[in-house]
Short mmCIF file of all heavy atoms in Angstrom, two decimals:
data_model
loop_
_atom_site.label_atom_id
_atom_site.label_comp_id
_atom_site.label_asym_id
_atom_site.label_seq_id
_atom_site.Cartn_x
_atom_site.Cartn_y
_atom_site.Cartn_z
N LEU A 106 15.46 12.67 -4.07
CA LEU A 106 16.24 11.51 -3.63
C LEU A 106 16.78 10.73 -4.81
O LEU A 106 16.20 10.75 -5.90
CB LEU A 106 15.37 10.60 -2.76
CG LEU A 106 14.81 11.18 -1.46
CD1 LEU A 106 13.98 10.13 -0.73
CD2 LEU A 106 15.93 11.70 -0.56
N THR A 107 17.89 10.04 -4.61
CA THR A 107 18.43 9.18 -5.66
C THR A 107 17.56 7.93 -5.79
O THR A 107 16.76 7.61 -4.91
CB THR A 107 19.87 8.75 -5.33
OG1 THR A 107 19.84 7.88 -4.18
CG2 THR A 107 20.75 9.95 -5.03
N ASN A 108 17.75 7.21 -6.89
CA ASN A 108 16.97 5.98 -7.08
C ASN A 108 17.21 4.98 -5.95
O ASN A 108 16.28 4.34 -5.47
CB ASN A 108 17.33 5.34 -8.42
CG ASN A 108 16.76 6.10 -9.60
OD1 ASN A 108 16.13 7.15 -9.43
ND2 ASN A 108 17.00 5.62 -10.81
N GLU A 109 18.44 4.86 -5.52
CA GLU A 109 18.76 3.94 -4.42
C GLU A 109 18.05 4.37 -3.14
O GLU A 109 17.51 3.54 -2.40
CB GLU A 109 20.27 3.90 -4.19
CG GLU A 109 20.71 2.93 -3.10
CD GLU A 109 22.21 2.90 -2.91
OE1 GLU A 109 22.93 3.62 -3.65
OE2 GLU A 109 22.68 2.16 -2.03
N GLN A 110 18.03 5.66 -2.87
CA GLN A 110 17.35 6.17 -1.68
C GLN A 110 15.84 5.99 -1.77
O GLN A 110 15.17 5.73 -0.77
CB GLN A 110 17.70 7.65 -1.49
CG GLN A 110 19.16 7.88 -1.10
CD GLN A 110 19.62 9.32 -1.29
OE1 GLN A 110 18.87 10.16 -1.80
NE2 GLN A 110 20.84 9.61 -0.88
N LEU A 111 15.30 6.10 -2.98
CA LEU A 111 13.87 5.89 -3.18
C LEU A 111 13.48 4.43 -2.94
O LEU A 111 12.42 4.16 -2.40
CB LEU A 111 13.46 6.33 -4.59
CG LEU A 111 13.44 7.85 -4.82
CD1 LEU A 111 13.35 8.15 -6.32
CD2 LEU A 111 12.28 8.50 -4.07
N VAL A 112 14.33 3.51 -3.34
CA VAL A 112 14.07 2.08 -3.08
C VAL A 112 14.02 1.84 -1.57
O VAL A 112 13.13 1.16 -1.05
CB VAL A 112 15.14 1.20 -3.75
CG1 VAL A 112 14.97 -0.26 -3.32
CG2 VAL A 112 15.06 1.30 -5.27
N GLU A 113 14.98 2.40 -0.87
CA GLU A 113 15.02 2.27 0.60
C GLU A 113 13.75 2.84 1.22
O GLU A 113 13.15 2.24 2.13
CB GLU A 113 16.25 2.99 1.13
CG GLU A 113 16.40 2.99 2.63
CD GLU A 113 17.57 3.83 3.11
OE1 GLU A 113 17.92 4.83 2.44
OE2 GLU A 113 18.13 3.50 4.16
N LEU A 114 13.31 4.00 0.73
CA LEU A 114 12.12 4.64 1.28
C LEU A 114 10.86 3.85 0.94
O LEU A 114 9.94 3.74 1.76
CB LEU A 114 12.00 6.07 0.74
CG LEU A 114 10.77 6.87 1.18
CD1 LEU A 114 10.62 6.90 2.69
CD2 LEU A 114 10.84 8.29 0.61
N ALA A 115 10.80 3.28 -0.27
CA ALA A 115 9.64 2.46 -0.65
C ALA A 115 9.48 1.28 0.30
O ALA A 115 8.36 0.96 0.73
CB ALA A 115 9.79 1.99 -2.09
N TRP A 116 10.58 0.62 0.62
CA TRP A 116 10.54 -0.48 1.60
C TRP A 116 10.01 0.02 2.95
O TRP A 116 9.17 -0.63 3.58
CB TRP A 116 11.93 -1.09 1.79
CG TRP A 116 12.28 -2.20 0.86
CD1 TRP A 116 13.15 -2.16 -0.20
CD2 TRP A 116 11.78 -3.54 0.92
NE1 TRP A 116 13.22 -3.39 -0.80
CE2 TRP A 116 12.39 -4.25 -0.14
CE3 TRP A 116 10.88 -4.19 1.75
CZ2 TRP A 116 12.12 -5.60 -0.38
CZ3 TRP A 116 10.61 -5.54 1.51
CH2 TRP A 116 11.23 -6.23 0.46
N GLU A 117 10.51 1.16 3.38
CA GLU A 117 10.12 1.70 4.69
C GLU A 117 8.63 2.05 4.71
O GLU A 117 7.92 1.76 5.69
CB GLU A 117 10.96 2.93 5.02
CG GLU A 117 10.67 3.55 6.38
CD GLU A 117 10.97 2.64 7.55
OE1 GLU A 117 11.76 1.68 7.39
OE2 GLU A 117 10.42 2.89 8.65
N GLN A 118 8.15 2.67 3.63
CA GLN A 118 6.73 3.00 3.55
C GLN A 118 5.87 1.75 3.63
O GLN A 118 4.85 1.70 4.35
CB GLN A 118 6.43 3.76 2.24
CG GLN A 118 7.07 5.13 2.12
CD GLN A 118 6.34 6.20 2.92
OE1 GLN A 118 5.54 5.91 3.79
NE2 GLN A 118 6.63 7.46 2.63
N ALA A 119 6.25 0.72 2.89
CA ALA A 119 5.47 -0.52 2.87
C ALA A 119 5.45 -1.17 4.25
O ALA A 119 4.39 -1.61 4.73
CB ALA A 119 6.05 -1.48 1.83
N ARG A 120 6.59 -1.23 4.89
CA ARG A 120 6.66 -1.88 6.21
C ARG A 120 5.85 -1.11 7.25
O ARG A 120 5.19 -1.72 8.11
CB ARG A 120 8.12 -2.01 6.64
CG ARG A 120 8.90 -3.06 5.86
CD ARG A 120 10.35 -3.08 6.24
NE ARG A 120 11.07 -4.17 5.59
CZ ARG A 120 12.28 -4.05 5.04
NH1 ARG A 120 12.91 -2.88 5.05
NH2 ARG A 120 12.86 -5.09 4.46
N ARG A 121 5.90 0.20 7.21
CA ARG A 121 5.16 0.99 8.20
C ARG A 121 3.65 0.87 8.02
O ARG A 121 2.90 0.79 8.99
CB ARG A 121 5.57 2.47 8.11
CG ARG A 121 6.96 2.75 8.63
CD ARG A 121 7.18 4.22 8.86
NE ARG A 121 8.57 4.49 9.21
CZ ARG A 121 9.00 5.63 9.72
NH1 ARG A 121 8.15 6.62 9.94
NH2 ARG A 121 10.28 5.80 10.01
N LEU A 122 3.21 0.88 6.78
CA LEU A 122 1.77 0.83 6.54
C LEU A 122 1.20 -0.58 6.70
O LEU A 122 0.04 -0.75 7.07
CB LEU A 122 1.45 1.38 5.15
CG LEU A 122 1.61 2.89 5.03
CD1 LEU A 122 1.50 3.33 3.58
CD2 LEU A 122 0.59 3.62 5.87
N ALA A 123 2.02 -1.59 6.43
CA ALA A 123 1.53 -2.97 6.56
C ALA A 123 1.60 -3.48 7.99
O ALA A 123 0.76 -4.27 8.41
CB ALA A 123 2.33 -3.89 5.64
N GLY A 124 2.60 -3.04 8.74
CA GLY A 124 2.77 -3.60 10.07
C GLY A 124 3.08 -5.09 9.97
O GLY A 124 3.99 -5.50 9.25
N ARG A 125 2.28 -5.92 10.63
CA ARG A 125 2.49 -7.37 10.61
C ARG A 125 1.80 -8.04 9.42
O ARG A 125 1.99 -9.23 9.19
CB ARG A 125 1.96 -8.00 11.91
CG ARG A 125 2.71 -7.60 13.15
CD ARG A 125 2.27 -8.40 14.36
NE ARG A 125 0.90 -8.13 14.76
CZ ARG A 125 -0.06 -9.05 14.82
NH1 ARG A 125 0.19 -10.31 14.47
NH2 ARG A 125 -1.28 -8.73 15.22
N LYS A 126 1.00 -7.31 8.69
CA LYS A 126 0.18 -7.91 7.63
C LYS A 126 1.01 -8.17 6.36
O LYS A 126 1.98 -7.47 6.10
CB LYS A 126 -1.01 -7.00 7.32
CG LYS A 126 -1.98 -6.86 8.48
CD LYS A 126 -3.13 -5.93 8.15
CE LYS A 126 -2.67 -4.49 8.03
NZ LYS A 126 -3.79 -3.56 7.82
N PRO A 127 0.60 -9.14 5.55
CA PRO A 127 1.30 -9.41 4.28
C PRO A 127 1.20 -8.21 3.35
O PRO A 127 0.16 -7.55 3.26
CB PRO A 127 0.55 -10.61 3.71
CG PRO A 127 -0.12 -11.26 4.89
CD PRO A 127 -0.48 -10.12 5.80
N PHE A 128 2.31 -7.92 2.64
CA PHE A 128 2.32 -6.79 1.72
C PHE A 128 3.20 -7.06 0.51
O PHE A 128 4.07 -7.93 0.53
CB PHE A 128 2.82 -5.52 2.43
CG PHE A 128 4.30 -5.55 2.77
CD1 PHE A 128 5.26 -5.14 1.86
CD2 PHE A 128 4.73 -6.01 4.01
CE1 PHE A 128 6.63 -5.17 2.17
CE2 PHE A 128 6.08 -6.05 4.34
CZ PHE A 128 7.03 -5.63 3.41
N GLN A 129 2.95 -6.30 -0.53
CA GLN A 129 3.80 -6.29 -1.72
C GLN A 129 3.77 -4.86 -2.26
O GLN A 129 2.75 -4.18 -2.22
CB GLN A 129 3.29 -7.27 -2.77
CG GLN A 129 4.28 -7.49 -3.93
CD GLN A 129 4.01 -8.80 -4.68
OE1 GLN A 129 3.04 -9.49 -4.39
NE2 GLN A 129 4.85 -9.13 -5.62
N PHE A 130 4.93 -4.39 -2.74
CA PHE A 130 4.98 -3.01 -3.25
C PHE A 130 5.71 -2.95 -4.58
O PHE A 130 6.45 -3.87 -4.96
CB PHE A 130 5.66 -2.08 -2.24
CG PHE A 130 7.18 -2.21 -2.22
CD1 PHE A 130 7.97 -1.48 -3.10
CD2 PHE A 130 7.80 -3.05 -1.31
CE1 PHE A 130 9.36 -1.59 -3.09
CE2 PHE A 130 9.19 -3.17 -1.29
CZ PHE A 130 9.97 -2.44 -2.18
N ALA A 131 5.48 -1.84 -5.28
CA ALA A 131 6.20 -1.56 -6.52
C ALA A 131 6.52 -0.08 -6.57
O ALA A 131 5.62 0.77 -6.41
CB ALA A 131 5.37 -1.96 -7.73
N LEU A 132 7.78 0.24 -6.75
CA LEU A 132 8.24 1.62 -6.90
C LEU A 132 8.24 1.98 -8.38
O LEU A 132 8.81 1.27 -9.21
CB LEU A 132 9.66 1.75 -6.33
CG LEU A 132 10.39 3.07 -6.61
CD1 LEU A 132 9.68 4.24 -5.91
CD2 LEU A 132 11.84 2.97 -6.17
N HIS A 133 7.58 3.09 -8.71
CA HIS A 133 7.55 3.59 -10.08
C HIS A 133 8.39 4.86 -10.18
O HIS A 133 8.17 5.81 -9.41
CB HIS A 133 6.11 3.89 -10.54
CG HIS A 133 5.27 2.66 -10.67
ND1 HIS A 133 3.92 2.71 -10.96
CD2 HIS A 133 5.58 1.33 -10.58
CE1 HIS A 133 3.44 1.48 -11.03
NE2 HIS A 133 4.43 0.63 -10.79
N LEU A 134 9.32 4.87 -11.11
CA LEU A 134 10.17 6.03 -11.35
C LEU A 134 9.68 6.68 -12.64
O LEU A 134 10.26 6.50 -13.71
CB LEU A 134 11.63 5.59 -11.45
CG LEU A 134 12.16 4.83 -10.23
CD1 LEU A 134 13.58 4.34 -10.48
CD2 LEU A 134 12.11 5.70 -8.98
N SER A 135 8.60 7.44 -12.53
CA SER A 135 7.88 7.95 -13.69
C SER A 135 8.23 9.40 -13.98
O SER A 135 8.79 10.11 -13.15
CB SER A 135 6.37 7.84 -13.47
OG SER A 135 6.01 6.54 -13.07
N GLN A 136 7.85 9.84 -15.17
CA GLN A 136 7.94 11.24 -15.57
C GLN A 136 6.53 11.75 -15.83
O GLN A 136 5.72 11.07 -16.44
CB GLN A 136 8.78 11.40 -16.84
CG GLN A 136 10.21 10.88 -16.74
CD GLN A 136 11.08 11.75 -15.86
OE1 GLN A 136 10.85 12.96 -15.75
NE2 GLN A 136 12.08 11.15 -15.25
N SER A 137 6.26 12.96 -15.35
CA SER A 137 4.97 13.58 -15.63
C SER A 137 4.83 13.84 -17.12
O SER A 137 5.72 14.41 -17.75
CB SER A 137 4.82 14.89 -14.86
OG SER A 137 3.73 15.63 -15.33
N LYS A 138 3.71 13.43 -17.71
CA LYS A 138 3.47 13.67 -19.13
C LYS A 138 3.26 15.15 -19.41
O LYS A 138 3.50 15.62 -20.52
CB LYS A 138 2.25 12.87 -19.60
CG LYS A 138 2.46 11.37 -19.67
CD LYS A 138 1.23 10.68 -20.20
CE LYS A 138 1.44 9.17 -20.31
NZ LYS A 138 0.24 8.48 -20.82
N LEU A 139 2.79 15.90 -18.40
CA LEU A 139 2.48 17.31 -18.62
C LEU A 139 3.72 18.19 -18.45
O LEU A 139 3.99 19.04 -19.30
CB LEU A 139 1.39 17.76 -17.64
CG LEU A 139 0.02 17.11 -17.81
CD1 LEU A 139 -0.97 17.68 -16.81
CD2 LEU A 139 -0.52 17.31 -19.23
N SER A 140 4.46 18.00 -17.37
CA SER A 140 5.59 18.89 -17.09
C SER A 140 6.95 18.25 -17.35
O SER A 140 7.96 18.96 -17.40
CB SER A 140 5.53 19.32 -15.62
OG SER A 140 5.74 18.20 -14.76
N GLY A 141 6.97 16.93 -17.49
CA GLY A 141 8.25 16.24 -17.65
C GLY A 141 9.00 16.08 -16.35
O GLY A 141 10.12 15.58 -16.32
N GLU A 142 8.39 16.49 -15.24
CA GLU A 142 9.05 16.41 -13.94
C GLU A 142 9.10 14.96 -13.44
O GLU A 142 8.19 14.17 -13.69
CB GLU A 142 8.28 17.27 -12.93
CG GLU A 142 8.96 17.40 -11.59
CD GLU A 142 8.22 18.35 -10.66
OE1 GLU A 142 7.22 18.95 -11.10
OE2 GLU A 142 8.64 18.48 -9.50
N PHE A 143 10.18 14.64 -12.76
CA PHE A 143 10.35 13.32 -12.17
C PHE A 143 9.25 13.10 -11.13
O PHE A 143 9.04 13.94 -10.25
CB PHE A 143 11.73 13.23 -11.54
CG PHE A 143 12.11 11.88 -10.99
CD1 PHE A 143 11.74 10.71 -11.64
CD2 PHE A 143 12.86 11.78 -9.83
CE1 PHE A 143 12.10 9.46 -11.15
CE2 PHE A 143 13.23 10.55 -9.33
CZ PHE A 143 12.85 9.39 -9.98
N ASN A 144 8.54 11.97 -11.22
CA ASN A 144 7.37 11.72 -10.38
C ASN A 144 7.47 10.34 -9.73
O ASN A 144 6.70 9.44 -10.02
CB ASN A 144 6.09 11.82 -11.23
CG ASN A 144 4.84 11.50 -10.44
OD1 ASN A 144 4.69 11.92 -9.31
ND2 ASN A 144 3.95 10.73 -11.05
#
Side-chain angles (χ1 to χ4, degrees):
L106 298 180
T107 68
N108 287 3
E109 182 179 359
Q110 291 164 356
L111 287 167
V112 173
E113 178 185 30
L114 178 54
W116 271 107
E117 182 63 20
Q118 294 282 16
R120 288 175 175 137
R121 288 195 186 194
L122 288 171
R125 294 188 294 121
K126 295 179 291 185
F128 70 87
Q129 191 159 4
F130 77 86
L132 170 66
H133 292 174
L134 303 175
S135 308
Q136 301 289 331
S137 167
K138 290 182 178 179
L139 296 182
S140 66
E142 187 176 356
F143 185 39
N144 177 42

